[in-house]
Amino acid sequence: MKHGKKYVDSAKLVDRTKLYDTNEALDTVIKTATAKFDETVELHVKLGVDSRHADQQVRGAVVLPNGTGKNVRVLAICKGENEQLAKEAGADFVGAEDMTQKIQQENWMDFDVLITTPDCMGLVGRLGRILGPRGLMPNPKAGTVTPDIARAIKEAKAGKIEYRLDKTNIIHCPIGKVSFGTEKLVENFDTLMGAIVKAKPAAAKGQYVKSCAVASTMGPSVRINPTKFI
């Protein structure tokens, strides 16, 4: 793969043979972010589990103390008094059958998170083929299927993110923007990594955190020493 001049110059600032500590790694990521926009900083963690086995799944959600720096658009699918609660909590879109039909018939996807109540899962379940591949299907483990819809909406707006294994046993998550600075990014990183370590399945054998790296949207990755998480 060929990279542009900016990327090549930024990559020279990263020692590929070194495993950085968290602070130095995120400081380096900030220095290597040269795009004209405020780049997102992402965490990539490879775990020593096998996602093909149900008892080795790693999935959950956590509220980042400093948010993600992104304006999260929330769709709330609910009925009755929950509709008013959802609106008051700050949901961008609220409805039930009307919203599910809009998604089905118009392929409407102008939202980042879908939150629903247990009594509306029958409606949302029909959207599985549409929402599933996009990672938007609500799930109780992620807190997006809940009777307390107002709380879930507020947490999503405040910077709640979901983490889950992909098919290659890697978790990819945003932890903020370059403009946050090292201190806030470290706080978000520690919160997310703490949740991932705590979610270690009982069936997992051997080294749990195999590798860990951070990178900005357009910048090179910086590897972090995983031994502190073992």
Side-chain angles (χ1 to χ4, degrees), residues 46-47 49 51 165-170 172:
K46 185 172 181 61
L47 299 180
V49 297
S51 61
L165 283 177
D166 66 9
K167 292 180 180 178
T168 60
N169 305 316
I170 299 175
H172 311 271

Side-chain angles (χ1 to χ4, degrees), residues 30-111:
I30 291 171
K31 290 176 181 176
T32 56
T34 57
K36 293 181 180 179
F37 61 92
D38 191 6
E39 297 181 51
T40 297
V41 179
E42 297 179 348
L43 168 65
H44 307 276
V45 187
K46 185 172 181 61
L47 299 180
V49 297
D50 190 341
S51 61
R52 293 174 297 178
H53 299 289
D55 61 353
Q56 294 188 45
Q57 289 293 324
V58 179
R59 181 176 186 175
V62 63
V63 179
L64 299 180
N66 300 298
T68 62
K70 180 181 178 181
N71 178 31
V72 180
R73 300 168 298 173
V74 176
L75 165 61
I77 292 183
C78 52
K79 295 179 178 179
E81 63 180 16
N82 281 320
E83 288 192 51
Q84 185 59 35
L85 292 173
K87 290 174 182 176
E88 292 174 356
D92 299 272
F93 310 99
V94 181
E97 288 89 349
D98 56 334
M99 284 298 177
T100 57
Q101 288 175 6
K102 188 177 178 69
I103 293 170
Q104 285 178 311
Q105 296 172 8
E106 301 175 24
N107 201 31
W108 177 74
M109 287 287 154
D110 292 340
F111 56 91

Side-chain angles (χ1 to χ4, degrees), residues 119-138:
D119 62 310
C120 285
M121 269 309 291
L123 280 175
V124 178
R126 303 170 193 169
L127 305 173
R129 290 184 179 180
I130 301 172
L131 300 176
R134 294 174 170 84
L136 291 170
M137 192 67 183

Side-chain angles (χ1 to χ4, degrees), residues 47 56-64 135 137-144 155 159-166 171-174 191-192 194-201 208:
L47 299 180
Q56 294 188 45
Q57 289 293 324
V58 179
R59 181 176 186 175
V62 63
V63 179
L64 299 180
M137 192 67 183
N139 185 285
K141 290 184 179 179
T144 45
E155 288 181 342
K160 185 175 186 177
I161 60 167
E162 181 182 356
Y163 58 87
R164 63 185 300 181
L165 283 177
D166 66 9
I171 290 174
H172 311 271
C173 278
T191 298
L192 177 55
I196 292 171
V197 171
K198 191 175 180 180
K200 179 182 179 180
Y208 180 52

